[in-house]
Amino acid sequence: MIQYQHKLFTVLLLLLLQIPISSEAQTTLEIDFDDCISNFSSGTNMDFTEFTADVSGDNPNELSLEGGHLYRDNPESNSHSCTPGFDGNPAMCVSYLADCIPDFTSERSVRIDLRVDPEEGQTSSLTTLSFYHLAPTNFAWINGTSGPNNYAQYFGVQIQSEDGNVLLQVDSVASTQDWQLYTLDLEGVDGFVVDQSTLFQIRILPFCPIDNGATISIWDIDQFVAMTACEVEAATLIGEDQSFCVGDGIADNIAADAITVEAGTGSDTQWVITDGNTGEILGLPPSFDVVDFDGAGNGVCNVYLVTFSGNLTGLEMGSTIMDIDGCFALSNSIAVERRQPDGGIISGGPFEFTVDGDPDLIPAGSITLDNASGTTFQWVVTDDEGYILGLPPMPSVVDFDGAGAGVCNIWHLAYDGEITGLAPGMNAADFEGCFSLSNPIEVIRTNAGDCQANGGILFGGPFEFTVGDGEADMIPAGSITVANSNGSTFQWIVTDDEGYILGLPPMPSVVDFDGAGAGVCNIWHLAYDGDITGLAPGLNANDLEGCFSLSAPIQVI
């Protein structure tokens, strides 16, 4: 589990979610005219209070009708009637301006005062106005008469600010003799994005008679709709993708200065950590740098910043970022690669061999490996103190007879990227990098009989000199190391390539090979207990007798 540093923390998907996305929370105000009432005798034809609005959407408090309903100036002279609307439900009929030059100050306008009231810190945009319109060739009044209509040829729309400035005006839209939807797209138009309570005064004016001789002159309107959307800008995250070796118990936090934020608008922000493949929300930290990715295992996370206003749904752990709904914008993502190699579990053994000159090989298939993961794998053989004796391609190729008496351990190593310390003679405890070692399997090596001497393993060389030039040819001190040796007495031996002893130096670095002539020498490390025979220059090391063990040799050419 990904954790906060205080342990409470419990990036479409793939390509789509790498780019900023946003969701415009919308609010809709609708006047449906279904409650239209018009009776001359009762005066309801001069009363417009039934034309109220229904508001729905993400922020229903954001839109309202000032005064509670639409209206016309001087309703005693500019009354209304009712007619079947585009959907069969009632619509409103009104008289129109007889002049063919639109005058939006005319009392014939249908007036709608629309208030947009964004939440504190939020920006809202009046995006759309629409309504159905009809200039019928024959009028038809509900519960009344019908007949020829001297219909209006045009209508216009004007929107003013509260102080009377004209924000938008459409002068002459041709009327139709069947119901048609008219839509004004206000997105991107100056004046319709606000960050405080704002009144928009809307005038819809039918005008210009067709002059067909009919005595009735009316125009019909139905289903007025206004829509707002919140305005939130996505932030941009500036920073490199991150990569951590996790699962080692060391906290893996993104540095506080590794990611910077540019732009972005909204009253609130929230950092979000998601699964890089599914988009599932894994955490909602107060800032990205408090997240410890060490316990999350292999995989990829994405880090996002959500800018938003108002209430959001779906912004919770266990949901996906595609479930977020409301007024928000999602930044680009910063990917966090979590690398956790696993050396796996090895089974088999322990193995025990007698060091007697015969090859001691672990049978192929005797060691099994499960659950390893990583980009690179390596078998490692160490002594019982962790010093690396070999890096075989597989355990079954190692001949343990030459290692002398003692204990070896076989490990399986998995790692990602670079690793240091992976070389014979180094200690596996000093590895550095993103790695994991399996459990070890023991290989126990005992000498024939009671002898426990072990000449050990030599590291270094081979060495090559040009001899006979009178200049000393000596192996630098420290160039040969010995590991895993055991015995009461130790001796360095220099032989020719047939095993004849040329010298018994206290250490290899004191030998001057310049006088030995051209050829090949071998350096050995001898361990023995008690007495030994045959240990003298001129004798052959193959004829040694006693409780002893020789290391493998290092060549000097």
Side-chain angles (χ1 to χ4, degrees), residues 197-539:
S197 183
T198 303
L199 185 68
F200 294 99
Q201 301 180 46
I202 302 167
R203 291 174 167 86
I204 301 173
L205 175 68
F207 63 96
C208 192
I210 193 68
D211 288 333
N212 59 8
T215 59
I216 299 297
S217 302
I218 57 98
W219 181 82
D220 302 342
I221 184 172
D222 197 4
Q223 201 77 20
F224 174 87
V225 173
M227 298 181 70
T228 58
C230 75
E231 293 286 326
V232 173
E233 181 182 345
T236 300
L237 303 185
I238 307 298
E240 299 293 330
D241 290 340
Q242 304 288 307
S243 181
F244 296 114
C245 184
V246 299
D248 55 8
I250 301 173
D252 294 311
N253 299 84
I254 301 172
D257 60 356
I259 300 175
T260 56
V261 180
E262 289 187 358
T265 61
S267 58
D268 298 288
T269 60
Q270 175 62 59
W271 289 98
V272 181
I273 311 296
T274 73
D275 182 276
N277 293 322
T278 67
E280 179 184 355
I281 297 174
L282 304 178
L284 299 167
S287 61
F288 63 84
D289 58 311
V290 304
V291 182
D292 181 4
F293 293 91
D294 187 67
N298 274 316
V300 176
C301 292
N302 283 329
V303 178
Y304 297 93
L305 183 63
V306 176
T307 51
F308 66 98
S309 295
N311 296 321
L312 297 184
T313 61
L315 187 60
E316 56 190 30
M317 289 169 55
S319 297
T320 73
I321 55 174
M322 300 307 294
D323 296 326
I324 302 174
D325 193 19
C327 182
F328 77 96
L330 192 69
S331 72
N332 60 303
S333 67
I334 300 293
V336 180
E337 180 188 18
R338 310 183 313 271
R339 298 176 291 122
Q340 188 177 22
D342 190 337
I345 299 172
I346 53 176
S347 304
F351 302 94
E352 189 167 349
F353 299 113
T354 299
V355 179
D356 54 8
D358 294 328
D360 293 315
L361 301 170
I362 296 172
S366 298
I367 295 178
T368 59
L369 171 66
D370 295 300
N371 301 324
S373 63
T375 57
T376 309
F377 304 103
Q378 177 64 58
W379 290 97
V380 180
V381 179
T382 72
D383 66 12
D384 55 357
E385 294 182 354
Y387 287 95
I388 299 172
L389 305 177
L391 300 169
M394 60 192 69
S396 60
V397 304
V398 180
D399 182 0
F400 290 92
D401 190 74
V407 175
C408 290
N409 284 317
I410 299 173
W411 312 76
H412 185 259
L413 170 70
Y415 61 98
D416 288 340
E418 300 293 331
I419 185 171
T420 60
L422 184 60
M426 306 295 288
N427 197 295
D430 297 326
F431 286 160
E432 291 186 2
C434 188
F435 71 93
S436 171
L437 277 170
S438 71
N439 58 298
I441 289 178
E442 277 190 334
V443 180
I444 303 165
R445 311 178 315 276
T446 57
N447 281 326
D450 297 326
C451 183
Q452 300 300 315
N454 185 357
I457 306 293
L458 298 187
F459 299 100
F463 302 94
E464 187 169 351
F465 299 112
T466 299
V467 298
D469 57 6
E471 296 181 5
D473 293 312
M474 307 178 78
I475 296 172
S479 298
I480 297 178
T481 58
V482 61
N484 213 37
S485 61
N486 180 60
S488 60
T489 307
F490 304 99
Q491 177 63 57
W492 290 98
I493 302 176
V494 180
T495 73
D496 64 14
D497 56 356
E498 293 182 356
Y500 287 95
I501 299 172
L502 303 177
L504 299 169
M507 59 192 69
S509 60
V510 302
V511 179
D512 182 359
F513 291 90
D514 188 68
V520 174
C521 293
N522 285 318
I523 299 175
W524 312 74
H525 187 255
L526 169 69
Y528 61 96
D529 292 331
D531 295 326
I532 188 172
T533 61
L535 185 61
L539 299 180

Side-chain angles (χ1 to χ4, degrees), residues 53-284:
D54 292 321
V55 182
S56 60
D58 296 286
N59 297 297
N61 295 325
E62 185 177 60
L63 268 178
S64 61
L65 281 182
E66 195 86 345
H69 57 85
L70 63 72
Y71 63 98
R72 299 179 82 192
D73 292 330
N74 189 15
E76 292 80 8
S77 300
N78 299 286
S79 59
H80 72 277
S81 55
C82 306
T83 189
F86 80 100
D87 57 359
N89 293 315
M92 182 177 73
C93 307
V94 293
S95 54
Y96 59 81
L97 179 65
D99 197 338
C100 286
I101 297 175
D103 177 8
F104 288 97
T105 64
S106 168
E107 295 177 350
R108 300 297 191 187
S109 296
V110 175
R111 303 280 308 268
I112 300 171
D113 292 342
L114 192 67
R115 182 164 293 278
V116 178
D117 193 10
E119 294 184 13
E120 183 177 356
Q122 178 175 314
T123 302
S124 295
S125 172
L126 183 60
T127 60
T128 306
L129 296 180
S130 67
F131 52 87
Y132 283 88
H133 62 92
L134 173 65
T137 54
N138 290 283
F139 72 91
W141 292 333
I142 296 176
N143 298 322
T145 61
S146 62
N149 178 37
N150 186 19
Y151 58 84
Q153 297 186 72
Y154 307 104
F155 67 89
V157 180
Q158 185 189 77
I159 306 174
Q160 293 185 8
S161 62
E162 192 167 1
D163 58 7
N165 288 327
V166 175
L167 302 175
L168 181 142
Q169 182 169 304
V170 181
D171 289 329
S172 300
V173 181
S175 290
T176 60
Q177 282 63 67
D178 54 5
W179 284 108
Q180 295 289 330
L181 178 65
Y182 177 72
T183 300
L184 269 176
D185 182 0
L186 304 178
E187 287 198 77
V189 180
D190 290 343
F192 293 103
V193 178
V194 298
D195 58 7
Q196 59 187 349
S197 183
T198 303
L199 185 68
F200 294 99
Q201 301 180 46
I202 302 167
R203 291 174 167 86
I204 301 173
L205 175 68
F207 63 96
C208 192
I210 193 68
D211 288 333
N212 59 8
T215 59
I216 299 297
S217 302
I218 57 98
W219 181 82
D220 302 342
I221 184 172
D222 197 4
Q223 201 77 20
F224 174 87
V225 173
M227 298 181 70
T228 58
C230 75
E231 293 286 326
V232 173
E233 181 182 345
T236 300
L237 303 185
I238 307 298
E240 299 293 330
D241 290 340
Q242 304 288 307
S243 181
F244 296 114
C245 184
V246 299
D248 55 8
I250 301 173
D252 294 311
N253 299 84
I254 301 172
D257 60 356
I259 300 175
T260 56
V261 180
E262 289 187 358
T265 61
S267 58
D268 298 288
T269 60
Q270 175 62 59
W271 289 98
V272 181
I273 311 296
T274 73
D275 182 276
N277 293 322
T278 67
E280 179 184 355
I281 297 174
L282 304 178
L284 299 167

